[in-house]
Amino acid sequence: EASRVFAGVQSKEDLEEARVRFLGAKKGAFREVQQQLGKISKEDKPQAGQQLNKVKKALAEALENATDSLKEKDSGSDSPTPDPTLPGIPMDLGHVHPITQTIEHLKEIMGRMGFESAEGPEVEGPWHNFVALNIPEDHPARDPLDNFYLATAGATAGEEGSQLMRSQTSTVQIRVMEKRQPPIRIVSLGRVYRPDAPDATHFPMFHQMEGLLVDQNVTMANLKTVLRVFANNYLGSDVPIRFRPSFFPFTEPSVEVDFLWNDQWIEFGGAGMVDPAVLTAVGYDPEKVGGFAFGLGVERLCMRRHNITDIRDLYSGDLRFLSQF
Ligand code: FA5
């Protein structure tokens, strides 16, 4: 009877009732049978004891089975049936930052014109950031207030032995020329740092694309052609470009490079013919070789191409903005 009742329970309450009825410690049916063992004759006792043990085991099993099948029923009713026809939930995959994408694109365009990619460190000394670039000791560009100098033990900011976050990628021109002999044709794309207050077109950390070509018989016309071809490829063939006379200590003559953007001339960088003083500083003979160099703001190029109006969006980390690229 117990087996039948246990097998038929439908709820926890039923089960508990059955347990008390058959296995209850005080008044359970099994307990009652067990108590009668005392009345059985000596000869019959061993056999009756064995029988009783068998029954006890069977009851325990029936209880366990009933408990298990109730549990199964419970969990079955709680969890919904999986629906294999529902669309999946797409995973959020990260992707390459628009500035990194821009850098790769710029390298690729310049690579097609034969410019190899070169790199230099972001922490520099005054020699590579200023001295070799013909920027004299008293030049305002070396002012501690216009640069991120590192707190270097025993060194005065701006003087030999001090260190700063490079303020321009022109440092890489020097590093390449120190190591190699002309002909040289490189671009260097990397981060530079200046304590500029952030606004729509300025950020304290930004990127520049430096270009350097050193060879025999290099002219300003070569510089203009390279920048023209570059603009055609990256910004579009109809982009108006303007060269304005300017001054940089490391180029002579120097120009500022502007592109028209929404009917306005916007400065994208500087350029010019490498100053003989720079060629001399790296051990070249300015009578034998000459070259041109340029440095363009990578963020501004990226912004013009993608019609981004505020440089700060690029560094906001806002996925609503970034995921558009
Ligand atoms: C230079 O840094 C020169 N080294 C460029 C150069 C290289 C001239 C080789 C001649 C030969 P300039 O300080 O003007 O020049 O900066 C170049 C460009 O960097 C600017 O035109 C602008 O596009 C970008 N730039 C400058 N400051 C910031 C800033 N705070 N945030 C974003 N872009 C900037």
Side-chain angles (χ1 to χ4, degrees):
E1 187 188 351
S3 302
R4 188 180 50 76
V5 172
F6 276 127
V9 295
Q10 296 296 330
S11 66
K12 268 186 202 162
E13 293 73 38
D14 280 0
L15 179 66
E16 180 57 12
E17 206 185 295
R19 189 192 65 78
V20 172
R21 180 168 156 207
F22 297 107
L23 288 163
K26 276 187 189 157
K27 289 186 177 168
F30 180 77
R31 178 80 189 137
E32 268 169 35
V33 177
Q34 202 176 29
Q35 274 164 352
Q36 287 168 27
L37 202 63
K39 297 178 192 158
I40 281 172
S41 67
K42 232 180 177 180
E43 307 86 75
D44 293 340
K45 234 182 205 165
Q47 212 203 334
Q50 267 177 16
Q51 205 92 39
L52 209 59
N53 270 340
K54 258 195 213 160
V55 172
K56 192 180 180 181
K57 235 175 114 184
L59 281 176
E61 237 167 69
L63 173 67
E64 206 180 297
N65 288 343
T67 311
D68 285 352
S69 71
L70 265 190
K71 259 191 216 151
E72 253 169 56
K73 239 170 80 184
D74 256 18
S75 66
S77 63
D78 279 357
S79 58
T81 316
D83 179 354
T85 65
L86 282 176
I89 300 166
M91 269 210 277
D92 275 339
L93 276 187
H95 70 289
V96 177
H97 190 277
I99 286 299
T100 311
Q101 292 182 32
T102 303
I103 287 172
E104 290 312 311
H105 192 178
L106 298 176
K107 275 188 196 169
E108 188 259 328
I109 291 172
M110 296 309 294
R112 281 192 270 139
M113 282 193 272
F115 287 79
E116 279 174 62
S117 172
E119 275 184 42
E122 290 178 24
V123 175
E124 278 286 14
W127 169 259
H128 290 101
N129 204 84
F130 304 121
V131 182
L133 287 163
N134 199 30
I135 302 175
E137 193 94 45
D138 55 355
H139 195 281
R142 293 176 71 154
D143 195 320
L145 294 177
D146 289 330
N147 293 283
F148 286 116
Y149 280 96
L150 272 61
T152 312
T156 310
E159 287 173 18
E160 212 43 54
S162 66
Q163 287 182 306
L164 74 157
M165 304 308 291
R166 67 179 178 193
S167 61
Q168 50 183 352
T169 45
S170 300
T171 53
V172 187
Q173 290 184 33
I174 303 303
R175 289 195 171 270
V176 170
M177 288 191 283
E178 279 173 338
K179 269 197 241 119
R180 289 159 52 171
Q181 291 300 311
I184 283 170
R185 202 187 279 211
I186 58 106
V187 279
S188 187
L189 285 117
R191 291 192 187 95
V192 298
Y193 303 82
R194 293 180 194 178
D196 289 345
D199 62 21
T201 53
H202 293 86
F203 210 69
M205 186 279 301
F206 59 102
H207 296 72
Q208 288 185 333
M209 172 168 75
E210 192 80 13
L212 172 71
L213 186 148
V214 185
D215 208 336
Q216 288 172 348
N217 307 318
V218 183
T219 70
M220 196 96 184
N222 301 138
L223 166 64
K224 285 179 140 187
T225 301
V226 165
L227 288 175
R228 173 78 265 169
V229 172
F230 163 72
N232 286 352
N233 275 274
Y234 187 68
L235 296 175
S237 51
D238 50 350
V239 172
I241 183 170
R242 181 174 81 170
F243 297 93
R244 255 181 312 124
S246 186
F247 175 80
F248 294 101
F250 35 93
T251 46
E252 182 60 34
S254 303
V255 292
E256 222 121 30
V257 184
D258 300 342
F259 291 111
L260 203 64
W261 187 4
N262 296 333
D263 297 325
Q264 272 189 303
W265 287 109
I266 306 288
E267 178 205 311
F268 277 72
M273 304 309 292
V274 181
D275 195 292
V278 175
L279 298 172
T280 307
V282 295
Y284 288 0
D285 182 352
E287 297 296 326
K288 292 195 177 130
V289 289
F292 67 71
F294 59 85
L296 304 178
V298 171
E299 280 77 3
R300 294 207 187 154
L301 290 167
C302 169
M303 286 165 75
R304 193 188 185 291
R305 187 180 159 95
H306 298 288
N307 247 312
I308 298 165
T309 49
D310 196 321
I311 190 173
R312 289 166 294 194
D313 286 337
L314 285 165
Y315 295 112
S316 63
D318 188 337
L319 291 178
R320 289 169 303 177
F321 172 81
L322 293 174
S323 59
Q324 297 175 65
F325 296 89

